[in-house]
Amino acid sequence: VCSSTAAGLKTSLSIADANCQEIYFPDLTPLKVLVLWGNNPASNNVACGGRALARLRKQGLKTIVVDPRFTPEASKADVWLPLRPSTDVAMGMGWINYIIANKKYDEEFCMRWTTLPYLVNPDTLYLYRADELIPGASHDDYVVWDKATESPKAMPYPWDDALDPELDGEFDVGDGVMSRTAFRALVENVEEWTLDHTAEITRCPCAP
C-alpha cells in the first residue's frame, strides 16, 4: 500500500493537521511506502506526525520525499527527489504516465471509486450528466459505456453491479459523437510526460 501526503491542501492529506490517519493507525491500513510531497513533519509536526513516521520507519516503512530542499525528512528518505521549484505538476504527470504505462494502478479501485470510467463530453470537456444522453435519466448521475449492451448507461452512485463499464476507450454516443472515458482522456494528456521529458523539466533524474 502506498499513501501520500502533501502540504497546503485543505483536504485530509496533511500530516501537519493530523488528518493523514493511515500513519496513526498502521494496523488498519498497513503502509509499505509513504510519499511526502513538500511535507516535513520531522520539523513541523514533531509530536504527532513526526513521531508517527519515526515509529513507522522502525517498522520498515519506506519514504519518498519530493522537495527541492534537503529537509530533515529528505535526509531520512529512501528516495529524495529534489525537483526544480514550480515543476511539481510536471513531476506528477510523469508519475501518472509511468503508473499507467506499466499498469501499476489498481483497476478495480479506479473503476469503482474514481471518475475515470465516466464519459467525457467532447464539447465541454466536462463529464456527461446522465440526462444529457439518456432520456428520463437523473441529472445527478454520470454516464459509463456498458460492455454488455454496448451503449451509454447511467451509473447511480456509488455503483450498479448490473453494469459492466469500460475503463478505457472512445465510443459513439449517438449522431456520430465520439466520447472518451475520463481514463482515456487522462492517458492522452500524460503521454508526452516520459521519464526523460519529466527529468528535463524538473531537473530531477528519473529512473524506473
Side-chain angles (χ1 to χ4, degrees):
V1 178
C2 177
S3 185
S4 63
T5 66
L9 300 177
K10 293 183 179 180
T11 68
S12 60
L13 295 177
S14 175
I15 287 179
D17 297 329
N19 288 324
C20 187
Q21 297 299 315
E22 296 97 325
I23 70 168
Y24 299 105
F25 302 97
D27 294 336
L28 299 179
T29 309
L31 298 177
K32 295 181 180 179
V33 180
L34 181 69
V35 179
L36 296 162
W37 201 303
N39 199 300
N40 187 33
S43 293
N44 302 335
N45 192 241
V46 180
C48 295
R51 181 178 179 181
L53 283 186
R55 183 182 69 246
L56 289 171
R57 283 195 179 96
K58 287 184 178 179
Q59 295 174 2
L61 177 75
K62 305 296 183 183
T63 57
I64 299 171
V65 171
V66 184
D67 201 314
R69 306 161 300 169
F70 190 64
T71 62
E73 287 295 348
S75 71
K76 299 178 179 68
D78 297 275
V79 177
W80 173 42
L81 297 175
L83 78 173
R84 181 165 62 95
S86 80
T87 63
D88 299 70
V89 173
M91 179 68 79
M93 297 288 268
W95 281 32
I96 294 170
N97 184 25
Y98 181 85
I99 289 168
I100 291 175
N102 292 276
K103 298 188 182 300
K104 300 292 186 181
Y105 54 91
D106 183 331
E107 184 169 341
E108 183 178 0
F109 181 87
C110 291
M111 185 71 77
R112 289 177 173 265
W113 297 108
T114 75
T115 60
L116 292 174
Y118 297 150
L119 296 178
V120 178
N121 185 321
D123 294 325
T124 65
L125 300 183
Y126 288 109
L127 299 176
Y128 272 117
R129 293 285 188 167
D131 58 355
E132 294 181 80
L133 292 177
I134 304 167
S138 171
H139 183 73
D140 293 333
D141 294 334
Y142 295 98
V143 183
V144 297
W145 185 264
D146 182 43
K147 296 177 186 177
T149 61
E150 296 187 350
S151 64
K153 294 290 185 181
M155 175 61 80
Y157 179 85
W159 189 256
D160 184 350
D161 285 326
L163 299 178
D164 186 15
E166 292 276 9
L167 179 63
D168 187 10
E170 186 173 22
F171 311 97
D172 188 338
V173 294
D175 299 324
V177 176
M178 301 301 293
S179 172
R180 302 173 293 174
T181 63
F183 182 86
R184 171 48 37 189
L186 178 62
V187 169
E188 294 175 2
N189 276 305
V190 300
E191 278 179 337
E192 68 176 289
W193 292 98
T194 63
L195 292 180
D196 287 342
H197 184 47
T198 302
E200 177 187 1
I201 299 301
T202 62
R203 297 179 188 167
C204 183
C206 295

